[in-house]
Amino acid sequence: MSSKITVDAPLVILHGDEMAQVAFEKILDTFVTSRLEIPLVEIDLSAENRLVTNGQVVVDAVEALKRHGVGIKNAGMTVNRAQLGELLAKHPDLDGTKLHPLATKSPNGAIRKGIGGNITREDIEFRNLQVKRPEWVGRDIEVETMEVGGIKESYNELSRATGIVKLMFVGASGDPVELHRREVKKGDPWLLATNDLEDVKAWAHRFFQRAIDEKRDIYLGLKDTVISGYDGVMRAAIEGIFEQHYREQVEALGLNYFYELIDAQAARLVANPPERALWGVPDNTTGRKLFKLVEQLKRFGIPDRKAQVSISRMSAGGGDQYGSFNAPADEDGILKVIVDGEEKHARHVKKGDPILLMSNDHEAIKDWVLQVFRDASRKSKEVYFGLKREYMEYDEVFSTVITDVRRELAEAGTPPPSFMIMRPSSQLIKMITDPPRNALYPAQNLDGDIFSDISAALGGSLATASSIIESKDGTMLFEAPHGTAHDLYLRYLESDGKEAHFNSSALLYAVANALETLGEREENATLVDYAHRLKAALIDTVDAGIITGDLKGKTNAPENETLVDMQGFLDAVASRL
C-alpha cells in the first residue's frame, strides 16, 4: 500500500528557465511527486518554448489555471535582442518577423491579466534572519527627475460614457490616423501622457554635466522593457547623449555609469547605498517618490526591521503603464483622444516624442479593493493606500471605490480593517522608515513593482519573500518573486552541475502555499498538515543556521551558520519532515 498522500485535484505547474528551473525540478521531485499521489498539469513556459510555440503556451497556461484553479509558476527569462537572435538561429524554421508578442515578451503580465489576478507579496516569517541595516545617514546621494511632461502633465479623467477610446494622430497629410483603440465603461479612468524628446535630451545634458561637475557616480533607471515605446524611447535618447558627449569625460574622471530597470535599481540602491552618487529617474511621478524617500533616508536612516511588510499590487484590469499603449510619434502632428465619438483632448507632439495612453477598469479596481480588505481582515493587517488625488482624476476613482466598498462591507455586517489613504510618496516612506507590526500596502502596478522589490531587498532577498496572485473567481497562482539567477546558472553549467548555488526558499514556500490551498479546497486534512509541516521545516532549517551563501552573516548567530549548496539546503529541509 502506498504511503503517499492522495490528492484528487490537479495542480498546474508552469516551468521556467535557468537556475530557478534546476531548483524547481529538484523541489518537485523531493517534496511533491515522491510524497504525493497528485495529478500535475505541466506546461513548459521556458523562453525557448514560448518562442517555438509562438506564444501559444502562455495561452495554454492561462486556460489551465482558469480550469483547475491552483498553480505554481517558476521564474522565466525575458529574452533581449542578442538572446532572441541566438534562439532564432537555433530554430531556422521560425520567421522572426511573424512572432506574436507572447513569444518574446515576459509572460507574467499576460498571465495575470488572463486570470484577472492581483499580486500580494510579503516576507516569509523567518525567525532567525537579522538583516544588516544599510547605513543611510550622511550618504551623499542626489535624485534628479524631470519637472515637465510625463504623467505630471497628463490629461486624465473618468469616462463619462461606455464606449471606445480612440487615440488619433493628424500629421502632415492632414488625414487622421487611428493609433490605438480600447473599450472603456462609464466611470473608468483613462490618461494620456507625452514627453517632448527635446526636453528629455536637455534633461540628459544637465544630468550628466552635474555628475561630472560634482564628480558623482551615475545611475539611470527606467522601465524600458514593459514600456519600451515610452521609457525605452527616453532611455535611447539619454544614453545617446551620454555616448556622444559624456562617456569619455566620465571615464577620464574614474566615475561609473550604471543603467538598470527602475524596480531592480531602487531595491539595490536603497538596500546598498553608494557613498556618493547622482540617481537619474526621468519619469517624474516615480522620480519624485524616490527623491522624497532618499531625502528622508539621508536624514533619519532606516530603522531596524522587525515588522512583516505585505504589498498588494493591482495588476488585473490592464491598469496603469503596464497595460498601456506606448510608442514614439512617427512625425510632427496632433494627438487627439476621442471617447464614444466625442473629442476629449488634443495636444501637439513632435517626431520621436514618446506617447503613453493608459486606462483602468472600475470593476477591476473594486474587485482589488475587496481583495485587499479581505486579506487584511483575515490576517489582522492595517491598510495604507497610496493615491495621488490632488491633481489626478485617474487616482480619485480609487478613493471613491474604497469608500463604496467600506460602506458595502459595513452594511453586510463585515467591518473593514483599519485603513488610511495617503500620497504614494508618504506610503513608500512609511513602508521603509516606519512600518507598523503587520501592515498591507496596496499600490498600482508600477509602484507595486518598485515598492515590493525595495521591501524584499530590505527583508533579506527576493528569495525570502512570497508572492501570491489571486483572481476574483478564486484562481490562485503562487510564485517566487525572484528571477532565474542567470549568473548562478552559468556557474552551474561551467562546473557540470557541481556548483549549484541557489536559495530555493521562496520556490519551496510557493509549493507549500499551493498544496495548502489544494488541501483546504478539497477538505484534505492530511494534505493541509503536510503543507504546514513543509513550511515549518523550511523555517526550522534556517532557524538552525543552515543557509545558502546569499544569507551568510544575516542570521542572529553568524558564528553558528552552516553554509550549504542548493541540494544541501533541500536535504536539510527534507530531513526535518
Side-chain angles (χ1 to χ4, degrees):
M1 183 176 177
S2 173
S3 61
K4 293 183 178 181
I5 300 169
T6 300
V7 184
D8 295 327
L11 177 63
V12 178
I13 302 292
L14 304 181
H15 292 288
D17 288 293
E18 299 191 319
M19 203 63 214
Q21 182 59 24
V22 175
F24 196 38
E25 290 172 1
K26 291 186 181 296
I27 288 170
L28 293 175
D29 289 343
T30 306
F31 300 102
V32 179
T33 56
S34 65
R35 297 170 184 265
L36 311 174
E37 287 288 352
I38 181 173
L40 300 180
V41 179
E42 300 187 67
I43 296 174
D44 180 2
L45 270 185
S46 66
E48 185 169 0
N49 201 44
R50 298 199 310 270
L51 186 71
V52 169
T53 63
N54 202 20
Q56 179 59 41
V57 286
V58 181
V59 178
D60 296 343
V62 171
E63 291 176 353
L65 289 168
K66 292 170 77 171
R67 185 182 310 118
H68 300 295
V70 182
I72 307 164
K73 181 186 174 300
N74 195 14
M77 288 170 55
T78 302
V79 294
N80 57 33
R81 288 184 180 180
Q83 291 165 330
L84 177 59
E86 291 171 3
L87 287 175
L88 288 173
K90 189 176 177 181
H91 298 278
D93 53 315
L94 294 178
D95 185 349
T97 65
K98 296 181 180 179
L99 293 175
H100 192 280
L102 291 177
T104 57
K105 293 191 174 182
S106 167
N108 295 345
I111 290 172
R112 291 163 192 161
K113 187 175 181 181
I115 65 174
N118 298 303
I119 309 169
T120 301
R121 286 187 178 176
E122 59 189 18
D123 307 330
I124 301 172
E125 294 188 65
F126 288 112
R127 298 181 295 264
N128 192 38
L129 291 186
Q130 180 175 287
V131 180
K132 184 178 179 181
R133 184 175 48 170
E135 184 52 62
W136 259 97
V137 175
R139 295 282 165 143
D140 190 3
I141 300 173
E142 298 291 335
V143 178
E144 278 278 346
T145 190
M146 290 187 65
E147 292 298 323
V148 297
I151 290 178
K152 182 181 178 183
E153 295 183 0
S154 68
Y155 182 86
N156 60 94
E157 68 170 35
L158 306 185
S159 176
R160 295 175 178 81
T162 296
I164 302 293
V165 171
K166 294 180 182 179
L167 182 63
M168 309 297 295
F169 178 78
V170 182
S173 69
D175 297 325
V177 176
E178 184 178 307
L179 298 180
H180 180 72
R181 67 164 56 195
R182 61 176 58 196
E183 294 181 10
V184 293
K185 297 187 290 293
K186 185 176 181 180
D188 287 355
W190 62 268
L191 176 153
L192 175 70
T194 59
N195 266 308
D196 186 317
L197 201 59
E198 293 306 312
D199 286 343
V200 174
K201 292 177 179 178
W203 177 86
H205 280 292
R206 293 193 300 272
F207 173 62
F208 292 123
Q209 192 60 57
R210 180 182 176 186
I212 288 168
D213 291 344
E214 299 178 6
K215 295 182 175 56
R216 297 176 182 271
D217 285 336
I218 304 165
Y219 293 81
L220 177 69
L222 286 158
K223 194 70 175 177
D224 64 298
T225 50
V226 178
I227 6 178
S228 57
Y230 191 74
D231 277 27
V233 171
M234 288 194 282
R235 178 188 176 184
I238 293 165
E239 291 196 322
I241 295 293
F242 177 69
E243 294 294 340
Q244 185 176 355
H245 299 282
Y246 297 101
R247 178 179 285 281
E248 288 185 6
Q249 297 179 65
V250 167
E251 291 178 350
L253 290 169
L255 302 176
N256 297 303
Y257 168 75
F258 305 95
Y259 175 81
E260 205 168 5
L261 293 177
I262 187 58
D263 45 340
Q265 189 173 75
R268 188 185 307 279
L269 291 184
V270 173
N272 296 287
E275 290 291 339
R276 182 174 169 82
L278 185 63
W279 187 6
V281 188
D283 173 66
N284 47 37
T285 51
T286 300
R288 285 184 296 166
K289 295 181 191 93
L290 294 174
F291 170 81
K292 291 177 181 178
L293 175 65
V294 166
E295 292 303 300
Q296 191 86 355
L297 295 181
K298 289 192 297 185
R299 187 176 178 189
F300 299 110
I302 296 177
D304 285 332
R305 187 180 176 110
K306 297 178 180 177
Q308 183 188 25
V309 172
S310 303
I311 297 171
S312 179
R313 173 177 154 201
M314 184 183 179
S315 53
D320 71 44
Q321 293 94 322
Y322 285 33
S324 68
F325 166 80
N326 55 91
D330 287 335
E331 59 174 317
D332 294 3
I334 299 174
L335 281 178
K336 295 183 177 182
V337 183
I338 314 294
V339 182
D340 199 34
E342 182 181 348
E343 183 178 313
K344 292 292 185 179
H345 179 69
R347 63 172 60 186
H348 287 277
V349 289
K350 298 193 295 295
K351 182 178 180 179
D353 287 355
I355 301 165
L356 177 81
L357 177 72
M358 67 190 203
S359 64
N360 215 317
D361 183 302
H362 184 278
E363 285 304 309
I365 295 170
K366 186 174 182 180
D367 293 340
W368 175 58
V369 172
L370 279 166
Q371 180 182 314
V372 166
F373 281 164
R374 188 168 60 244
D375 183 38
S377 295
R378 189 167 60 235
K379 299 178 181 178
S380 301
K381 296 177 180 176
E382 299 174 355
V383 180
Y384 296 88
F385 287 97
L387 299 173
K388 196 74 173 177
R389 294 180 294 174
E390 60 266 40
Y391 64 82
M392 293 282 289
E393 281 194 62
Y394 193 96
D395 278 20
E396 185 62 40
V397 67
F398 288 82
S399 179
T400 303
V401 167
I402 291 166
T403 302
D404 291 344
V405 168
R406 182 190 183 201
R407 184 182 303 112
E408 289 177 18
L409 289 173
E411 289 172 353
T414 306
S418 172
F419 73 94
M420 290 181 63
I421 299 175
M422 55 184 62
R423 291 182 176 185
S425 56
S426 300
Q427 181 192 38
L428 175 60
I429 289 169
K430 183 166 186 62
M431 185 186 84
I432 302 303
T433 66
D434 183 31
R437 186 169 298 279
N438 200 21
L440 178 62
Y441 298 86
Q444 295 177 50
N445 214 338
L446 180 56
D447 277 358
D449 209 351
I450 296 169
F451 294 5
S452 62
D453 277 13
I454 294 174
S455 176
L458 291 175
S461 76
L462 286 169
T464 60
S466 71
S467 183
I468 301 169
I469 301 170
E470 180 179 357
S471 72
K472 179 183 178 181
D473 65 5
T475 300
M476 302 287 287
L477 178 61
F478 301 92
E479 61 181 1
H482 56 65
T484 62
H486 177 69
D487 55 338
L488 298 180
Y489 186 59
L490 292 179
R491 290 173 61 185
Y492 176 78
L493 294 178
E494 291 167 358
S495 67
D496 290 329
K498 295 186 178 72
E499 288 193 43
H501 299 290
F502 183 82
N503 187 339
S504 49
S505 297
L507 267 176
L508 193 56
Y509 201 81
V511 169
N513 270 334
L515 295 177
E516 181 181 16
T517 302
L518 277 182
E520 289 172 348
R521 291 187 177 184
E522 65 177 44
E523 298 183 346
N524 186 334
T526 307
L527 180 60
V528 172
D529 175 66
Y530 174 70
H532 290 171
R533 288 191 292 112
L534 183 53
K535 289 183 183 180
L538 169 65
I539 291 169
D540 288 346
T541 298
V542 176
D543 197 41
I546 301 172
I547 56 172
T548 47
D550 59 311
L551 297 181
K552 182 180 179 181
K554 295 181 178 180
T555 69
N556 291 330
E559 67 279 2
N560 295 328
E561 292 174 354
T562 302
L563 294 185
V564 292
D565 64 5
M566 181 185 73
Q567 188 61 54
F569 184 77
L570 294 177
D571 288 344
V573 175
S575 71
R576 281 167 172 74
L577 280 170

